[in-house]
Amino acid sequence: MSVAGVYECVTKSPMGDQNSVLTLNVDGDTVTGTNAGAQGSMEVEEGKVDGNSASWVMNMTVPMPMKLEANVTVDGDDLTGTVKAGAFGEMAMTGTRQS
């Protein structure tokens, strides 16, 4: 099954749980999309997909500029992975496919 879809996600950040809607679009081995939450929306950039795994970069601007590096695996409708946030280290990310 493709990683493409819309996911309700929770990222365990140092500022508490961050809820977001992650939209992933797949074209060949490239993934694009957005991750929209209370802090605004970020573009999925430099995305790569390999089977049921995907990785990408997001450039956060609020509350501070930071490059976020995501690595996830999709199993059915469940998304699990991590988001690396510079000096803050890795944060767990989970999600459930909505469509």
Side-chain angles (χ1 to χ4, degrees):
M1 174 178 269
S2 174
V3 301
V6 178
Y7 300 84
E8 291 281 340
C9 292
V10 177
T11 303
K12 302 285 188 182
S13 86
M15 296 171 26
D17 289 0
Q18 301 296 312
N19 296 306
S20 65
V21 175
L22 174 66
T23 303
L24 298 177
N25 305 302
V26 175
D27 183 8
D29 63 355
T30 301
V31 65
T32 59
T34 58
N35 191 23
Q39 304 288 338
S41 181
M42 297 178 285
E43 293 293 319
V44 169
E45 302 173 6
E46 301 174 32
K48 296 177 177 52
V49 64
D50 182 12
N52 66 336
S53 297
S55 62
W56 64 88
V57 171
M58 298 175 288
N59 288 297
M60 181 174 79
T61 57
V62 176
M64 67 187 81
M66 186 179 304
K67 181 178 178 178
L68 304 176
E69 300 172 68
N71 287 284
V72 303
T73 300
V74 175
D75 183 9
D77 289 333
D78 296 325
L79 177 146
T80 56
T82 59
V83 177
K84 185 176 178 191
F88 294 101
E90 287 189 347
M91 304 175 291
M93 180 182 206
T94 57
T96 303
R97 188 188 317 256
Q98 303 301 301
S99 63

